[in-house]
Amino acid sequence: MKRILVPTDFSKHAEDALKLAAQIAKKTKCEIFLLHMLELPGQMSDAISGGSGIPEVMLFIKKANETLQKIKESTLLDGISVTETVQFERASHGILSFSKKNKIDLIIMGSHGSSGVEEILIGSNTEKVVRLSEIPVLVIKKDPGKFEAKNFVFASDFSQEIKKPFKKMIEFTKNFDANLFLVMICTPNSFKTTIAAEKIMNDFTKDFDIKNYSMHIFNDANIEKGILNFANSMNADLVGLCTHGRTGLAHFFNGSISEDLVNHTVKPVITFKI
């Protein structure tokens, strides 16, 4: 891992994402790319494409560049190579095109979601980036404080299509010397006997060279409650999931999570595209 992208709208949530990115960059010797998207009204976009320097556009550009430069010079980023960019494009499309063009290895984004894993990942630009990004996306919901990622929960059905993103997940964990908790969530709608679930997981993991890991089967009312309850029981620092580009995370979430549970389970989530 060499390059981390942090999209920023200069909000508190984007600042929290940058704090996490800075910690990871210092640990892994990564470069950080700061990206601010300017979504201008139609006539202003036409002016940009036509080369016109109308005052409103120039003011937007000037203010954005000044703010990015101020962020770049903060003590938070001391010792880290930082490249800042202002780009004129719709946010989700711009983030994805920038990441591909600049060979980004990890995208870190903040979220204002307040209703659990669904809200962290389902909604607006963050959801679109998570759904369509070819590279891992790490989403956080609050200031991470000191980020260790010692306990990493990876929830999956461990089907054959997971093998490619699973390799990416293993590479990510190597950066943190993490304890990896592999978990299959069993629900009334996706019930498997313990023997059947263990066989699936054993057959899956035998093809990989994994260290510091354990396998778990966790029963709960639905998938999302199972992920959150298991993550809490393992005192997880980070939760990993795989996502289908065509459907986002809809196949993971089948019901609502109680407000009480959500208030105690604010975990960073990293997604890997199937």
Side-chain angles (χ1 to χ4, degrees):
M1 189 164 68
K2 297 179 180 179
R3 297 178 163 202
I4 298 173
L5 172 62
V6 182
T8 180
D9 57 1
F10 308 134
S11 68
K12 174 66 166 60
H13 310 294
E15 181 184 341
D16 291 342
L18 183 59
K19 288 178 181 178
L20 176 54
Q23 292 185 59
I24 294 176
K26 287 177 181 177
K27 186 176 183 64
T28 60
K29 304 294 189 293
C30 280
E31 180 179 2
I32 288 179
F33 287 75
L34 273 173
L35 176 65
H36 178 68
M37 306 302 302
L38 276 177
E39 298 188 47
L40 301 176
Q43 63 270 32
M44 291 191 181
S45 297
D46 293 340
I48 289 292
S49 60
S52 301
I54 60 176
E56 293 93 336
V57 174
M58 301 310 293
L59 179 62
F60 280 128
I61 295 171
K62 182 174 182 292
K63 288 295 184 184
N65 280 316
E66 285 175 353
T67 306
L68 282 175
Q69 188 60 34
K70 188 174 181 180
I71 293 172
K72 183 179 178 179
E73 292 171 356
S74 68
T75 56
L76 174 69
L77 299 174
D78 283 351
I80 302 172
S81 175
V82 180
T83 300
E84 72 278 17
T85 303
V86 175
Q87 189 163 302
F88 299 93
E89 200 171 349
R90 281 196 304 169
S92 58
H93 288 192
I95 291 165
L96 294 168
S97 64
F98 184 92
S99 66
K100 185 175 292 187
K101 180 180 178 182
N102 291 277
K103 298 179 179 179
I104 300 298
D105 299 300
L106 174 67
I107 300 172
I108 301 181
M109 301 182 71
S111 172
H112 64 276
S114 58
S115 301
V117 177
E118 295 121 315
E119 282 298 319
I120 292 177
L121 296 173
I122 305 297
S124 67
N125 293 314
T126 302
E127 186 274 337
K128 290 176 185 175
V129 172
V130 165
R131 177 161 50 87
L132 299 174
S133 176
E134 296 294 333
I135 62 172
V137 182
L138 202 168
V139 184
I140 69 165
K141 191 173 165 185
K142 65 174 185 177
D143 187 334
K146 186 177 181 181
F147 183 72
E148 293 289 352
K150 285 295 183 183
N151 294 333
F152 182 14
V153 166
F154 181 78
S156 174
D157 62 2
F158 300 96
S159 58
Q160 291 300 303
E161 67 177 351
I162 302 298
K163 287 195 170 182
K164 185 177 178 181
F166 192 78
K167 289 179 182 177
K168 292 183 180 179
M169 186 275 297
I170 292 173
E171 288 302 313
F172 180 83
T173 61
K174 288 178 180 177
N175 292 304
F176 301 95
D177 191 27
N179 298 310
L180 182 59
F181 299 90
L182 305 178
V183 61
M184 178 184 290
I185 308 297
C186 290
T187 73
N189 291 328
S190 62
F191 176 76
K192 291 181 180 68
T193 65
T194 298
I195 291 175
E198 286 178 345
K199 185 178 188 306
I200 291 170
M201 296 183 77
N202 282 318
D203 288 346
F204 183 93
T205 54
K206 70 182 181 183
D207 294 332
F208 298 91
D209 179 21
I210 322 171
K211 298 177 180 178
N212 300 330
Y213 81 102
S214 56
M215 294 188 294
H216 305 264
I217 299 158
F218 194 84
N219 300 318
D220 215 319
N222 55 49
I223 298 291
E224 66 274 22
K225 277 189 177 181
I227 293 171
L228 292 173
N229 285 334
F230 181 77
N232 276 344
S233 70
M234 295 293 106
N235 194 27
D237 301 302
L238 181 64
V239 176
L241 302 169
C242 289
T243 175
H244 287 91
R246 63 184 181 276
T247 59
L249 295 164
H251 64 296
F252 262 114
F253 304 116
N254 304 313
S256 62
I257 307 173
S258 71
E259 184 176 347
D260 182 61
L261 174 63
V262 168
N263 287 338
H264 294 88
T265 52
V266 185
K267 307 287 185 184
V269 176
I270 185 167
T271 61
F272 300 87
K273 172 92 172 283
I274 294 174

